[in-house]
Amino acid sequence: MEQVKATCVFAEQEVEYELRFIMDVVNQSLKSVKVPQGTPRIELWNTPFYDVLQNLPASYNDFKKLGLPVTTPLQLSTLPSAEMELDWGTLPVYDDIKEYMASNQWKLGGNWNSIKETSAETLLRREILKSSESSERSYSFRQMQSREPNESVFVTRKGNLVGGGTSNVLNALAAYLRYLEGTARDDWQEVHDKVRASESRNGASFIGLFGPALSLGIISRRRVHYEAIKYERERNAGFLSPFGYSAATIAAAVDAVCSKEWYWLMALRNQIKNDGEGEHSTRIWRWNGFLIQYTVAGEDGPAVLLVHGFGAFSEHYRDNIHGLVGAGNRVWAITMIGFGKSEKPNIVYTELLWAELLRDFIVDVVGEPVHLVGNSIGGYFVAIVARIWSVLIKSAVLINSAGNVIPRYTFIPLSNDRQTSGASWLGSRILLFYLRLRIQEIVKKCYPTRVERADEWLINEMLRASYDPGVPVVLESIFSFNLSIPLNYLLEDVKEKVLIIQGMKDPISDSNAKVAMLKEHCDGVIIKELDAGHCPHDEVPERVNMIICDWILSVETSINPTVNKTANTPVPMHVAL
């Protein structure tokens, strides 16, 4: 800055916590830099969809009613060059970057990074079949042979992601939008081949192919929208039909970028609102290009990660975080992809996908083994992580977990790539309508001993999330869930590190039968029975906090006998969110 006498640093506006943290550090450093015009400053820029948007509605349904016009992307411009001699120093080479990444203080080392390289399905198949013949599968595309890099718009080793410069991506986008037209061009034909391979569900191919280019800023969301709408007008003599788009690829591109814009705006609003405010820090983490919201609290102590159930979000642990932190723990609560204020992309959702999300969050964000706590379907995800990546957990706590105990199981069923059907498409829309209509009644039944805990805030937040773009796609996963992997198999190798908390008045499952099966076929696990429903952590948070804190203390003491036994006493619950 001092060498070029720059007065301003232009940077893209970000919502991810780590990037915002870096910008804050840079901003503080600039205060010590002096140039003739004063102190340099940072100017943030973005490529907004909309001209004016000061008060973002909480609901996407209300947001759509505003009918805001989409802005036109700016043409590329050439910046003037500065005529001065600069010493650029030595540019880092690939080995330098690898060494830096390996020494990153937030990671535990290369062995942890390698954990993320193999999918959950592949590891399960290897373990079940005891064979090296299993090959890794993908959730969003089938691997194909790609052309030579200099002839292809695809830049990854697997040849499945569009990249390169902006002109390269725009060329691939033009080919994608014109998928139905056919082509004699080799580069466009390659794109068309990849569209067919990556269409794991209707419209999923756009994010599968162009998601990284959007995340890296090679092309903006509004530029994609502009190109898609321009092509739609070309196909329809300048008109846009009120009944939808004339090509599935156009609809996929427009829906994807409009959805991403909504989640980006919501994340930005929450980050600005939470900067310097509140007892817990709400942050954004980008996973596979998608925005994931999480909460973190606490400065010292064992790491605890809280995982919610289906249809819930991190705030469902509203009265657990403070109690666990007060007992001397550091607590993370994640909102899983497809729920709450996290992004809900058009992908195929599976229990293994959600387990991989937890794996990556532990590796990338927490950076150390955790006490992993999950409620309902979240408990099943926790069990999967405990089975496949046991090195990532110190213990597992399952609260009214989904999944079944199967005595004397003879095989472990693993389904193939799950395609959506017309029945699941229709079923998810009917289910969504029913849930919106009966949400209060359904939730209150899950709180049989303290109905008042199913309060207005909880119901309204669930309703708000139900109108987010992508919710029907998430609900389609209900019709393809594979919960047939037995809990006793998943917990087999970690039984001594498992705590089961079971609300015995759960209206969703037969708690008495489940506890009996767990006791008979999961010897070694600790079981705590509570007078509560499906969500004991929120129905009787004081009791659950005490149980979890005592459990963490016992586990930590077994690992390190010098642990302070007075530290893990939970503080009383105070004001709920």
Side-chain angles (χ1 to χ4, degrees):
M1 296 291 295
E2 292 176 336
Q3 196 173 0
V4 299
K5 297 180 174 58
T7 60
C8 190
V9 176
F10 289 93
E12 185 174 7
Q13 192 169 30
E14 301 287 357
V15 296
E16 297 165 73
Y17 169 75
E18 294 294 343
L19 295 178
R20 290 174 66 86
F21 177 78
I22 291 172
M23 292 305 300
D24 288 342
V25 172
V26 172
N27 198 27
Q28 290 297 319
S29 300
L30 288 179
K31 293 180 180 179
S32 62
V33 177
K34 298 297 181 183
V35 294
Q37 292 81 6
T39 301
R41 69 185 190 281
I42 294 180
E43 288 288 346
L44 300 179
W45 63 271
N46 58 37
T47 55
F49 255 41
Y50 311 103
D51 284 322
V52 179
L53 190 61
Q54 295 178 344
N55 298 313
L56 182 70
S59 167
Y60 185 68
N61 200 38
D62 295 334
F63 174 72
K64 288 192 297 182
K65 293 176 182 177
L66 297 177
L68 298 172
V70 178
T71 58
T72 303
L74 301 175
Q75 296 299 316
L76 295 176
S77 58
T78 303
L79 296 175
S81 60
E83 297 199 4
M84 59 181 69
E85 293 294 330
L86 296 175
D87 180 12
W88 294 103
T90 303
L91 292 176
V93 297
Y94 180 63
D95 288 338
D96 296 328
I97 297 174
K98 284 202 302 182
E99 182 180 353
Y100 169 77
M101 294 300 293
S103 63
N104 189 336
Q105 61 175 333
W106 298 104
K107 305 296 186 296
L108 290 188
N111 59 324
W112 266 44
N113 287 325
S114 64
I115 289 175
K116 297 163 49 179
E117 295 176 0
T118 308
S119 74
E121 182 179 347
T122 297
L123 291 174
L124 279 174
R125 289 187 183 279
R126 286 177 182 173
E127 186 173 335
I128 294 166
L129 301 176
K130 303 298 182 184
S131 169
S132 61
E133 296 177 359
S134 299
S135 60
E136 185 167 0
R137 307 179 70 90
S138 167
Y139 287 103
S140 58
F141 50 79
R142 295 185 295 274
Q143 297 178 13
M144 296 180 59
Q145 295 296 320
S146 60
R147 299 170 184 271
E148 292 299 320
N150 60 343
E151 299 175 2
S152 175
V153 296
F154 297 92
V155 295
T156 60
R157 184 170 53 184
K158 295 179 181 178
N160 47 46
L161 300 176
V162 174
T166 300
S167 59
N168 201 50
V169 176
L170 284 173
N171 177 50
L173 177 62
Y176 178 84
L177 295 173
R178 291 160 178 79
Y179 173 72
L180 292 179
E181 294 184 6
T183 180
R185 293 177 51 173
D186 289 343
D187 55 344
W188 282 25
Q189 184 58 53
E190 184 187 19
V191 174
H192 292 179
D193 292 340
K194 297 299 172 72
V195 171
R196 288 187 287 272
S198 58
E199 194 76 351
S200 55
R201 53 161 288 108
N202 292 337
S205 56
F206 178 80
I207 286 298
L209 299 177
F210 293 89
L214 285 167
S215 298
L216 292 172
I218 300 174
I219 188 172
S220 67
R221 295 184 293 274
R222 71 178 182 185
R223 183 60 185 269
V224 171
H225 187 275
Y226 172 81
E227 295 294 337
I229 296 301
K230 182 176 74 170
Y231 176 57
E232 175 71 8
R233 291 185 186 277
E234 291 175 3
R235 288 174 58 88
N236 295 282
F239 295 99
L240 293 178
S241 170
F243 304 107
Y245 298 104
S246 60
T249 49
I250 297 175
V254 171
D255 290 346
V257 295
C258 287
S259 173
K260 283 187 136 333
E261 182 70 11
W262 165 251
Y263 290 109
W264 187 88
L265 288 170
M266 189 160 53
L268 179 63
R269 180 190 62 181
N270 290 339
Q271 291 302 290
I272 294 174
K273 179 180 178 181
N274 284 287
D275 275 354
E277 294 184 10
E279 182 181 2
H280 311 139
S281 173
T282 300
R283 301 175 179 177
I284 299 296
W285 169 57
R286 192 182 293 273
W287 181 70
N288 291 352
F290 306 121
L291 301 179
I292 307 299
Q293 179 179 288
Y294 69 97
T295 294
V296 60
E299 299 294 333
D300 298 297
V304 182
L305 175 56
L306 307 176
V307 185
H308 61 81
F310 199 92
F313 27 78
S314 61
E315 295 93 336
H316 202 202
Y317 289 98
R318 49 186 168 169
D319 290 324
N320 307 108
I321 296 174
H322 176 71
L324 296 176
V325 169
N329 301 295
R330 287 169 297 139
V331 180
W332 286 260
I334 186 174
T335 296
M336 302 291 280
I337 188 171
F339 300 105
K341 293 176 182 175
S342 287
E343 200 164 338
K344 304 169 183 66
N346 186 359
I347 59 176
V348 176
Y349 293 87
T350 71
E351 65 287 341
L352 297 183
L353 175 80
W354 277 306
E356 288 174 356
L357 168 63
L358 291 178
R359 172 200 66 189
D360 293 352
F361 186 84
I362 296 170
V363 172
D364 291 343
V365 180
V366 181
E368 64 182 87
V370 301
H371 296 277
L372 195 52
V373 181
N375 170 236
S376 189
I377 190 69
Y380 194 72
F381 303 155
V382 167
I384 294 174
V385 173
R387 175 71 198 202
I388 305 177
W389 304 289
S390 59
V391 69
L392 300 181
I393 69 163
K394 288 184 175 180
S395 75
V397 180
L398 278 56
I399 306 175
N400 284 67
S401 176
N404 298 303
V405 175
I406 302 177
R408 297 179 297 277
Y409 58 85
T410 56
F411 74 101
I412 306 301
L414 285 179
S415 60
N416 294 323
D417 293 337
R418 283 166 257 195
Q419 302 287 333
T420 57
S421 64
S424 63
W425 183 95
L426 179 62
S428 66
R429 273 77 184 166
I430 295 174
L431 178 60
L432 180 57
F433 176 78
Y434 173 79
L435 291 175
R436 287 172 178 167
L437 193 65
R438 307 289 294 275
I439 184 66
Q440 187 169 11
E441 175 187 345
I442 294 170
V443 174
K444 284 184 179 296
K445 285 183 178 179
C446 292
Y447 291 72
T449 67
R450 295 181 65 185
V451 179
E452 71 277 6
R453 291 290 295 170
D455 54 20
E456 184 179 359
W457 172 85
L458 181 62
I459 302 300
N460 287 342
E461 185 55 30
M462 287 182 170
L463 276 174
R464 185 216 64 76
S466 74
Y467 288 97
D468 279 344
V471 167
V473 176
V474 182
L475 286 178
E476 285 181 30
S477 65
I478 291 178
F479 300 93
S480 61
F481 267 159
N482 178 21
L483 303 184
S484 56
I485 304 176
L487 272 179
N488 43 321
Y489 168 77
L490 294 175
L491 303 178
E492 194 172 55
D493 295 335
V494 292
K495 286 182 292 189
E496 293 75 15
K497 299 195 294 184
V498 177
L499 169 66
I500 305 288
I501 299 177
Q502 187 69 31
M504 300 306 291
K505 293 182 178 178
D506 191 341
I508 296 178
S509 63
D510 185 343
S511 292
N512 289 309
K514 188 160 195 172
V515 167
M517 294 293 283
L518 286 166
K519 289 179 177 179
E520 183 177 356
H521 300 283
C522 295
D523 57 304
V525 305
I526 303 298
I527 301 176
K528 298 290 186 179
E529 301 176 22
L530 295 180
D531 184 28
H534 188 63
C535 309
H537 63 286
D538 194 41
E539 188 175 0
V540 286
E542 306 97 329
R543 182 72 180 121
V544 171
N545 290 348
M546 183 68 72
I547 293 173
I548 294 178
C549 288
D550 289 346
W551 168 256
I552 292 174
L553 179 59
S554 68
V555 174
E556 291 292 328
T557 303
S558 67
I559 297 173
N560 180 10
T562 63
V563 169
N564 182 3
K565 294 188 177 182
T566 63
N568 276 59
T569 302
V571 299
M573 182 190 71
H574 66 309
V575 180
L577 293 175

